[in-house]
Amino acid sequence: MRTTVGIIGAGPAGLLLARLLHVAGIDSVVLESRDRAYVEQRQRAGILEQGTTDVLRAAGAGERMDREGLRHDGIELRFARRRHRVDFPALTGGRSVTVYAQTEVCKDLIALQSKEGGPLLFEAEALAVEDAGTDRPRVPFRHEGREDVLVCDYVVGCDGFRGVSRRAVPAGTGRVFERTYPFGWLGVLADVPPFHDELVYARHDRGFALLSMRSPVVSRLYLQVPRDTDARSWSDDEIWAELERRFATDDDWRLERGPITQKSVTPMRSFVHEPMRHGRLFLAGDAAHIVPPTGAKGLNLAVGDVVTFARALAHRRLTGSAELLDAYSATCLRRVWQAERFSHDMTTLLHRAPGGDPFDDRLQLARLERLASSRAAETDLAEAYTGFAFE
Ligand code: APR
Ligand code: PHB
């Protein structure tokens, strides 16, 4: 098999890249190891920056998002039994975010690609990336019990944190920056209307809690738990009781319970692989970097990477200049590190380290008080949350 751009992975990064290349008249083949139903149902985040919705719309993938996505003009911070709302448009000159689940973004992009794009092969596992240092990189893969090879001009590794493409970067030419946190998130989906019409980020002595949503009748809720927690060790009643404690305020706020339909635990880590390129292999999305989910940046970073790659390749085709392709890694990493900084700040602002250091607790509360009383501090959060512009 022969193509211009071999894309490994059909998460949001790989799917959007295939779409952007199709729109630019560049052919690609996508290899995805899992089946379509799995990719369409895997629960992930759901906050789209304005830049992300603009890109999806321009790529022709915004129709259902514009109908069903929920525009959010702020978030609520809860701490010390109080609430504080951060008003995004007022602080950023009109910017907001959209709540539209990653599962839905993936469904929309898969439908488009199947209708009018290049090959998108499910249950096709890339086994390696070979000859990345030459101008004919190759991806051996297994599909329907047979082994085949995809020969490309470029390979983009969109295969997530556990994929194969990062391994094709020879040891010694790359560098990893990493932080693991001693906690994870227990995430649940519940068939109950969200108790607030915007996301609520809560700091509590017992740990962090978050209210998000999937629709006006489905809540997505998270609790900070120790890193190696088994989701089955939490009963539904225990989850609701803990949510009630961590979101508690001094006003008349009440939590309505409902059936929990899904539970899982996600570990939290920060990770960056530099550079994001080796020869004709480009890394994008979770294959190159992970952020803890507190800043809701994972999906938006993946979008930034593939937009940067698609523009750079189109530029190369139009002008013959490889200048933008050569700048790919540095361009992406500037944005990546801003997201790493923000996600780490949000995480340490709101989570309680096991064993809790009383000095850290006081600092956290002081940082939250500062956010609640200084427009400058709040603006910093609002600008980062609604997203930095693509270069
Ligand atoms: N061959 C083919 N496909 C593979 C291989 C392989 N060897 N290894 C992994 N994959 C596929 C996975 O099955 C998955 O569908 O690559 C895809 C990677 O998708 P994601 O993990 O979703 O990563 P990405 O597209 O970079 O999305 C960015 O945003 O909300 C955040 O972290 C969240 O997934 C999210 C991310
Ligand atoms: C989600 O909706 O799953 C979500 C929202 C905001 C976050 C993380 C996850 O910061």
Side-chain angles (χ1 to χ4, degrees):
M1 253 180 131
R2 179 86 188 81
T3 189
T4 304
V5 183
I7 300 174
I8 309 178
L15 289 167
L16 178 61
L17 177 58
R19 178 66 191 168
L20 294 172
L21 293 175
H22 174 77
V23 170
I26 300 171
D27 66 291
S28 71
V29 172
V30 184
L31 304 175
E32 164 59 50
S33 55
R34 314 301 294 246
D35 62 30
R36 179 170 176 169
Y38 179 89
V39 171
E40 290 188 340
Q41 270 149 41
R42 182 172 42 192
Q43 268 306 316
R44 293 279 180 75
I47 302 293
L48 309 184
E49 294 173 359
Q50 199 154 310
T52 296
T53 52
D54 291 345
V55 167
L56 289 169
R57 223 170 271 130
E63 195 207 326
R64 196 162 66 95
M65 172 186 79
D66 282 332
R67 245 184 306 123
E68 297 176 16
L70 311 167
R71 177 191 154 124
H72 279 205
D73 282 341
I75 55 170
E76 184 178 289
L77 299 172
R78 281 193 189 185
F79 60 99
R81 302 183 65 88
R82 285 167 26 216
R83 317 147 170 263
H84 175 77
R85 177 167 188 261
V86 180
D87 181 333
F88 296 150
L91 294 160
T92 62
R95 271 151 52 192
S96 60
V97 296
T98 299
V99 176
Y100 188 63
Q102 183 171 316
T103 45
E104 306 313 304
V105 174
C106 288
K107 282 181 204 164
D108 296 346
L109 288 167
I110 289 171
L112 270 176
Q113 188 71 10
S114 315
K115 200 170 76 185
E116 54 188 48
L120 163 54
L121 307 183
F122 288 100
E123 298 177 78
E125 186 191 359
L127 303 172
V129 180
E130 295 172 352
D131 301 338
T134 74
D135 58 5
R136 280 286 173 281
R138 299 151 45 87
V139 184
F141 66 98
R142 195 180 297 121
H143 183 46
E144 292 169 348
R146 285 196 7 247
E147 293 204 3
D148 204 339
V149 178
L150 183 61
V151 181
C152 320
D153 293 343
Y154 302 90
V155 174
V156 185
C158 301
D159 48 352
F161 185 62
R162 297 181 194 289
V164 293
S165 41
R166 205 171 55 243
R167 280 182 241 151
V169 180
T173 62
R175 189 167 169 201
V176 161
F177 301 83
E178 197 166 16
R179 168 102 5 130
T180 53
Y181 302 89
F183 39 76
W185 281 11
L186 168 65
V188 303
L189 268 182
D191 284 337
V192 65
F195 65 72
H196 190 63
D197 53 9
E198 292 177 341
L199 272 63
V200 180
Y201 289 80
R203 184 258 173 221
H204 190 276
D205 285 345
R206 298 174 62 91
F208 170 73
L210 169 63
L211 166 77
S212 180
M213 58 204 68
R214 289 293 172 265
S215 78
V217 292
V218 177
S219 300
R220 176 76 172 152
L221 293 145
Y222 296 98
L223 285 172
Q224 176 191 343
V225 292
R227 194 176 166 79
D228 295 314
T229 300
D230 179 350
R232 288 167 304 185
S233 69
W234 280 78
S235 73
D236 293 5
D237 280 345
E238 284 170 332
I239 291 171
W240 287 116
E242 191 61 22
L243 289 165
E244 216 155 52
R245 286 187 203 104
R246 295 192 192 178
F247 285 115
T249 56
D250 280 334
D251 56 29
D252 59 359
W253 174 80
R254 287 282 166 274
L255 180 66
E256 193 194 330
R257 299 185 179 195
I260 289 179
T261 56
Q262 228 187 77
K263 275 184 229 184
S264 60
V265 172
T266 324
M268 312 257 286
R269 67 155 54 82
S270 302
F271 174 94
V272 181
H273 182 283
E274 291 188 8
M276 287 171 57
R277 172 190 185 179
H278 171 65
R280 292 276 183 123
L281 166 66
F282 294 75
L283 302 176
D286 279 14
H289 41 72
I290 298 284
V291 285
T294 327
K297 287 282 166 258
L299 168 62
N300 296 292
L301 275 187
V303 169
D305 293 349
V306 298
V307 166
T308 304
F309 178 81
R311 279 186 191 158
L313 187 56
H315 181 74
R316 161 91 207 234
R317 288 222 148 177
L318 210 64
T319 66
S321 161
E323 189 190 352
L324 295 186
L325 282 173
D326 290 341
Y328 171 80
S329 179
T331 304
C332 292
L333 284 169
R334 277 192 288 276
R335 207 161 166 270
V336 167
W337 277 109
Q338 285 307 316
E340 291 288 349
R341 173 194 71 82
F342 174 64
S343 306
H344 180 263
D345 280 0
M346 285 287 277
T347 302
T348 58
L349 175 70
L350 296 163
H351 291 71
R352 200 143 186 278
D357 175 336
F359 188 82
D360 285 339
D361 289 343
R362 284 290 185 272
L363 286 183
Q364 269 186 337
L365 289 168
R367 285 164 72 192
L368 285 158
E369 294 287 356
R370 173 84 185 147
L371 274 168
S373 60
S374 154
R375 192 177 165 96
E378 248 189 331
T379 302
D380 188 47
L381 188 157
E383 283 182 355
Y385 197 97
T386 54
F388 299 106
F390 298 140
E391 283 180 35

